[in-house]
Amino acid sequence: MGKYTIPKPKKLPSGNFRIQFQIDGKRYSVCDESKLRVKEKADKLYKDILAGIEQEKKSPLTVKKAMQQYIDSQKAVLSPATIAGYQNICNNHLKLIMGICVSDLTSLDIQKAISREVQDGKSPKSIRNYTALLGKVLATYRPNFHSDISLPQKEKYEAQILSEEDLMKVLKASKGTRYELPILLASWLGLRASEIRGLKYSDIQDGRIHIQRAIVQGEDKAYEKLTKTTAGDRWIVLPETISKLIPEVEEGKEDSYICPIRQNVLLKAFHRLCLEAGVEPCRFHDLRHFQASEAHSLGIPDKYVMKRMGHSTDNMLKTVYEHAMNDKVDDFNSAIDIHMEALLRSAGM
């Protein structure tokens, strides 16, 4: 790159001075109250950028390095759990392309990396997560690159919902243990495991409980965060049966957690309790599906169910309802058969 002269500062309506310049098509802007300082800042920024470009030429930007830089740039705005997921992808997946320079990457390279993930048994959903992150990285470091790749077909998600009988068996198996309360909070109130772990004694007021935070697992430890969506911040009436299971809070510790259980401990315990109860194990999260299914069978309007469970869309409800309808297919078929046979008999056929 040849010799370049920094443009003269322009005075803004605010009284500040601004210098703008471009390098390789990217615009940079520097502002300051002092005309002298803004020139010094612009000059330093320009030299730093050129130095970075020269360094990059000596040490090419690989896909792995670009992905790591992108992840680091997002740590202030994304949740620790999301960052941990991104870091896992960077460290353990799409290995066939991680050493390739971003500028040299081709669609064929990406397709080969995807095929390897398929061969290694990774699910279509996981592979889509890998390529989604890669797409964000390429949009940042190689914005004009358009890949032409094929992804494995999505697997249809089948909701797994405990029957009322099976849930009662699991609850009996959990009776008197520290897991009885979390199981009821999930199956009765429809709370997520992260929301249950985030509940504090101070959230209980006037017979209601405020769901306003979650505890999620980061790369190295658990973190407290806001609910998954704004719709997740909600109040629910606290049934007396559940209220009685909440341990007494020690004086001055109203800000402590009601269910201080590590996520992996809770999930493993729930799996074990299902086996002890003679019930086919399902995910702890599927207890929320039980709550949605029960609400549907009681004829409760979707808008109310969404508000109670903290959903911003009805996508999950549709999935659960489809499952509930599938369970009734044989009954519906039988009803149709009986009706048609009656029609034929009435016609003397």
Side-chain angles (χ1 to χ4, degrees):
M1 187 175 292
K3 189 175 180 181
Y4 184 81
T5 303
I6 296 293
K8 293 182 179 180
K10 290 185 178 181
K11 192 168 185 178
L12 303 174
S14 63
N16 290 340
F17 291 92
R18 181 180 67 188
I19 292 178
Q20 291 182 317
F21 59 89
Q22 286 188 341
I23 296 180
D24 291 342
K26 186 173 182 179
R27 183 180 295 274
Y28 298 89
S29 180
V30 180
C31 292
D32 199 280
E33 296 176 353
S34 166
K35 188 175 182 178
L36 178 61
R37 282 200 302 268
V38 78
K39 291 176 67 175
E40 292 174 345
K41 286 183 177 180
D43 186 60
K44 182 178 185 306
L45 177 60
Y46 180 75
K47 290 178 179 177
D48 287 346
I49 293 170
L50 290 187
I53 292 174
E54 289 302 315
Q55 180 61 35
E56 192 57 52
K57 290 178 179 177
K58 297 176 182 177
S59 177
L61 184 67
T62 62
V63 172
K64 186 175 183 66
K65 189 185 297 184
M67 189 173 288
Q68 187 61 61
Q69 288 181 10
Y70 176 83
I71 293 171
D72 292 341
S73 73
Q74 299 296 308
K75 287 183 177 179
V77 294
L78 297 179
S79 73
T82 300
I83 292 297
Y86 281 177
Q87 196 64 61
N88 177 56
I89 295 172
C90 183
N91 294 340
N92 303 304
H93 301 287
L94 299 177
K95 292 183 179 180
L96 289 184
I97 62 171
M98 285 301 176
I100 298 176
C101 296
V102 172
S103 59
D104 296 333
L105 187 67
T106 67
S107 293
L108 181 59
D109 293 327
I110 299 174
Q111 192 66 65
K112 288 180 178 178
I114 291 172
S115 297
R116 174 62 62 83
E117 296 291 342
V118 173
Q119 293 170 6
D120 289 343
K122 301 302 183 295
S123 70
K125 180 179 179 181
S126 294
I127 292 173
R128 288 176 186 275
N129 289 340
Y130 307 160
T131 54
L133 174 57
L134 178 63
K136 293 176 181 178
V137 172
L138 292 176
T140 301
Y141 295 96
R142 195 176 166 189
N144 295 323
F145 176 74
H146 298 288
S147 62
D148 181 18
I149 58 174
S150 299
L151 295 174
Q153 186 174 0
K154 288 184 178 180
E155 296 174 332
K156 184 177 180 181
Y157 172 65
E158 294 289 346
Q160 187 173 355
I161 305 173
L162 290 177
S163 67
E164 293 179 345
E165 180 182 359
D166 283 345
L167 177 63
M168 293 306 105
K169 290 179 181 178
V170 175
L171 282 171
K172 285 182 180 178
S174 70
K175 189 73 174 176
T177 71
R178 63 189 301 215
Y179 308 110
E180 181 181 7
L181 175 58
I183 292 173
L184 277 174
L185 287 169
S187 61
W188 190 331
L189 302 189
L191 271 60
R192 302 174 176 89
S194 59
E195 294 172 339
I196 292 171
R197 297 175 66 215
L199 291 175
K200 295 182 179 181
Y201 287 94
S202 56
D203 295 327
I204 302 174
Q205 298 178 28
D206 301 323
R208 299 194 304 161
I209 191 161
H210 188 189
I211 294 87
Q212 59 179 320
R213 75 183 68 79
I215 299 293
V216 297
Q217 190 62 42
E219 185 180 3
D220 52 353
K221 62 179 180 179
Y223 294 85
E224 182 181 298
K225 63 184 285 289
L226 298 177
T227 51
K228 187 174 183 180
T229 63
T230 53
D233 190 317
R234 61 206 188 274
W235 287 88
I236 302 179
V237 173
L238 190 61
E240 185 178 357
T241 299
I242 294 180
S243 181
K244 289 179 179 179
L245 291 175
I246 297 177
E248 291 291 329
V249 60
E250 297 181 29
E251 186 175 350
K253 293 189 176 181
E254 289 78 11
D255 205 41
S256 59
Y257 296 111
I258 294 174
C259 298
I261 305 173
R262 292 199 303 274
Q263 179 173 306
N264 64 326
V265 173
L266 175 59
L267 303 187
K268 289 179 180 179
F270 178 66
H271 187 275
R272 186 187 70 250
L273 288 168
C274 286
L275 293 176
E276 290 178 2
V279 172
E280 180 68 26
C282 63
R283 303 178 308 166
F284 186 86
H285 189 76
D286 289 326
L287 292 174
R288 272 171 58 82
H289 295 162
F290 172 86
Q291 170 62 201
S293 180
E294 290 293 285
H296 176 57
S297 67
L298 293 172
I300 298 174
D302 288 358
K303 287 186 177 180
Y304 176 81
V305 180
M306 289 169 61
K307 184 176 180 64
R308 176 179 174 85
M309 300 185 68
H311 286 299
S312 54
T313 70
D314 63 353
N315 291 338
M316 191 278 274
L317 297 185
K318 289 178 179 178
T319 300
V320 171
Y321 296 166
E322 182 181 356
H323 181 280
M325 295 298 287
N326 287 341
D327 285 348
K328 297 292 184 181
V329 167
D330 288 343
D331 292 341
F332 293 153
N333 288 338
S334 178
I336 292 172
D337 293 343
I338 292 172
H339 177 70
M340 291 302 297
E341 288 174 358
L343 284 178
L344 293 172
R345 284 197 301 270
S346 67
M349 296 177 68

